[in-house]
Amino acid sequence: MIAEFRLPDLGEGLTEAEVVQWLVAPGEQVALNQTLAEVETAKAVVELPSPYEGTVSSLHAEAGQTVAVGAPLIAFEVEGEEPEGQDAPVGGEAAEGEKAQPNLVGYGAAPSTAGRPARRARRIGGTPPVADTAVLEAAPHDAAPSASVETVVERPRSTPPVRAHAKRLGVDLVLVAAEVGDRLITRHDVDAYAQRIGARQDDTVASTPGPSRVPRPTRDDRARETRIPIRGVRKHTAAAMVQSAFTAPHVTVFHTVDVTATMDLLAGLREDRALSGHRIGPLAVVAKAVCLALAGAPGLNARWDEESGEIVQYGYVDLGIAAATDRGLIVPMIRDAERLTLVELADAVGALAETARAGKTSPAELAGGTFSISNIGVFGVEAGTPILPPGQSGILAIGAVRRQPWEYRGEIALRQVMTLSLSFDHRLVDGAEGARFLKAVADILEEPGRAMLLS
C-alpha cells in the first residue's frame, strides 16, 4: 500500500521547515530509520529518519521548498493492503477501530485533527478580478469566482510571508492554487506565476503602438541589487534579538585586562604531551573563569519571569557559546558547564564549534541557556556591545588578544591584553554586581592561579 510521511513537529513550536537536500530518490529501497532528507528549521538543520521500510514512491517537495508541519513530504510503497473504500491513514488520525501508525522517538505527538477548527472558507462574490484566462480555462470551475453566482471557496494554503509576497506582486493566490492543487503554495509558485503573467503582458504591450510604454529594467539594472529571503536561522535570530533589545534594559560595561599570564599558561599546556589531543585556547579559559565567577554573581545566572512576577536563579550553568555559521548566528549550549574541568570545557567548545559549522546542531542543543559568551576576538575585533539572548540576564564578549605597551610592576612593558564586554539585564543586575563579576573574571585571566581560590 502507499503510505505518506508528513513533516513532523520538530519541537520548540516550529511550524515549518525548508528541505535542504534529499538523500533518497523515487524507486529507491529504504530501511527503517534511514536518513531521508535534511531540513532546515528556524534553529538548525535536522536529519529526518524514515518511519517506514519500503520503496520511495514519490517526493512531495523539492530541495529549497518550505513545507508546513503536517504537510505530505514523501510517499512509500510498503507491505500490507490498503483498506477498501478509504485512504490509508498515515501521519494523522487512524480510522475508527484501526491501529494508529506509531511515531518515531523525537517526532513529537502524532498530528491530530480532532478538536481543531477547519480552515476558514472564504466567501467570494460580485465581479471577478482580472485574471489570466489561460489559467482559468485550464483550472477547475471553482478555482475563481463567478460574476453571477456567489461562490464559497477554501482559502489557498500558504504561509503569511508568501501571502504578503503575493500581495506585493499583485498575484491572486486563488489562481495560483488552481495550478498547484491542494498543496501548500510557496514563494517559488508565486514568482513563477507572476513571471508568466508578466511575459504575456509584455507581449500585449509590445503589440500596442504608442509612446506610453515604460521600458522594463535591463539585466544590468537588476544586477545592481540582490534579494535574499529572510528565513531559517537568520529569521529566528532577528526576531529573538529584536525581542531582547526591546524587552530587557541593556547595560554594557568594559574592562581591559593583561592576559599575558593566561597566554603563557596556554603555551605551556600546548607543549604538554599528555594534552596533545586537546586544543585548549583562550575561550576555554574564559569559559572556566565565567563558571567560577558566576557562583558569586547569582543575578547574572538568572532570568526574569514576567508571568509569575519572579526572578529565577539557576543553581547550574548551561553555558551558551555564540557561533557564526553560513546560515546565521546560533548559540548552542554546554550543559552543566560548571561541572567540567578546563580540558573538558575545551573539548566541549571544540565539538560545539565543529557541529555548528557542519550545520548539525540539534534544536535541543539550542534550547535554554543561562549565560552566554561571544568570542568576537576571532574576527580581530577588540570590543563590542553584545545583545542578550532572550531569557538570559548576562552575556560576555571577549575581544582579540593584542600586544601593546602596558604598565607592569611600575614600568612600561609590551604585554598581551584583552578587552571584556559584559552586557546585562538591569532589571536583575545592578551596576555593582556586574562590575564585581567582570572584575572576578578579569582577575582569573590576569593571574590564572586565582582559580585555585574559587574552585
Side-chain angles (χ1 to χ4, degrees):
M1 69 174 183
I2 299 296
E4 281 188 341
F5 175 43
R6 299 174 181 271
L7 180 67
D9 180 359
L10 300 172
E12 293 297 310
L14 302 174
T15 59
E16 63 184 17
E18 179 184 337
V19 179
V20 177
Q21 64 171 334
W22 285 104
L23 303 178
V24 296
E28 182 177 339
Q29 184 74 21
V30 298
L32 183 67
N33 287 329
Q34 177 180 337
T35 302
L36 300 173
E38 291 181 348
V39 298
E40 181 179 5
T41 69
K43 293 190 173 183
V45 173
V46 180
E47 293 182 346
L48 293 182
S50 174
Y52 301 104
E53 179 179 358
T55 304
V56 177
S57 174
S58 60
L59 306 178
H60 292 303
E62 300 177 356
Q65 181 176 337
T66 300
V67 182
V69 169
L73 192 64
I74 184 174
F76 300 88
E77 291 183 8
V78 298
E79 293 184 0
E81 296 183 358
E82 192 170 343
E84 294 183 2
Q86 64 180 16
D87 294 333
V90 176
E93 291 276 345
E96 185 176 356
E98 184 178 357
K99 186 177 181 181
Q101 179 69 32
N103 272 13
L104 290 180
V105 175
Y107 275 171
S112 172
T113 57
R116 292 184 183 177
R119 283 190 288 121
R120 183 180 60 188
R122 186 172 60 179
R123 185 174 298 276
I124 302 176
T127 304
V130 178
D132 179 12
T133 56
V135 172
L136 291 177
E137 292 173 359
H141 295 296
D142 61 351
S146 170
S148 57
V149 180
E150 190 180 60
T151 308
V152 176
V153 297
E154 191 176 10
R155 184 178 183 179
R157 298 180 59 210
S158 61
T159 60
V162 171
R163 290 196 290 272
H165 181 60
K167 185 176 181 180
R168 287 194 299 269
L169 297 181
V171 172
D172 189 345
L173 290 180
V174 174
L175 302 180
V176 181
E179 291 189 343
V180 304
D182 191 42
R183 68 171 173 82
L184 188 74
I185 298 174
T186 66
R187 186 185 181 96
H188 175 74
D189 296 330
V190 174
D191 290 338
Y193 180 84
Q195 186 176 6
R196 288 195 300 275
I197 299 304
R200 292 187 184 127
Q201 291 176 347
D202 286 348
D203 293 341
T204 302
V205 173
S207 61
T208 304
S212 60
R213 183 188 179 193
V214 177
R216 290 176 60 84
T218 65
R219 183 177 300 275
D220 291 340
D221 291 336
R222 291 195 297 268
R224 294 176 64 183
E225 62 180 33
T226 301
R227 292 182 176 267
I228 302 173
I230 303 173
R231 58 192 180 194
V233 172
R234 192 170 299 278
K235 179 179 179 180
H236 175 78
T237 301
M241 292 300 98
V242 171
Q243 176 191 357
S244 175
F246 288 95
T247 301
H250 285 59
V251 173
T252 305
V253 292
F254 305 89
H255 184 55
T256 301
V257 57
D258 181 353
V259 295
T260 305
T262 291
M263 301 308 291
D264 290 342
L265 170 65
L266 293 175
L269 295 178
R270 282 193 292 269
E271 296 176 357
D272 189 338
R273 292 185 179 181
L275 301 175
S276 59
H278 307 276
R279 298 185 59 183
I280 307 175
L283 178 56
V285 179
V286 172
K288 186 62 179 178
V290 163
C291 291
L292 294 173
L294 282 176
L300 281 159
N301 195 40
R303 67 179 174 89
W304 182 278
D305 192 334
E306 188 71 37
E307 293 184 1
S308 65
E310 297 174 328
I311 294 175
V312 181
Q313 294 183 349
Y314 302 105
Y316 57 90
V317 180
D318 282 351
L319 188 62
I321 305 294
T325 70
D326 293 338
R327 299 177 295 109
L329 179 70
I330 61 175
V331 189
M333 309 298 160
I334 300 175
R335 304 295 180 184
D336 297 317
E338 82 284 358
R339 299 183 179 182
L340 303 181
T341 66
L342 176 61
V343 175
E344 291 170 337
L345 270 174
D347 291 344
V349 169
L352 177 150
E354 183 177 350
T355 303
R357 284 194 296 266
K360 303 297 183 181
T361 306
S362 68
E365 293 174 299
L366 298 170
T370 65
F371 188 92
S372 291
I373 298 176
S374 179
N375 185 10
I376 60 177
V378 296
F379 305 106
V381 176
E382 298 176 2
T385 54
I387 296 179
L388 292 168
Q392 297 182 23
S393 61
I395 180 173
L396 180 70
I398 60 176
V401 177
R402 61 193 189 280
R403 293 176 65 85
Q404 71 176 51
W406 195 259
E407 191 276 330
Y408 179 68
R409 295 180 179 178
E411 298 180 355
I412 300 298
L414 196 60
R415 305 289 288 177
Q416 299 187 73
V417 300
M418 170 194 289
T419 298
L420 305 175
S421 310
L422 174 68
S423 291
F424 55 86
D425 186 341
H426 216 336
R427 296 175 300 178
L428 294 89
V429 184
D430 58 28
E433 184 177 9
R436 284 195 298 267
F437 169 81
L438 191 60
K439 185 64 166 59
V441 173
D443 286 346
I444 295 174
L445 297 179
E446 188 170 16
E447 298 182 34
R450 286 180 177 268
M452 300 292 292
L453 302 176
L454 302 174
S455 57

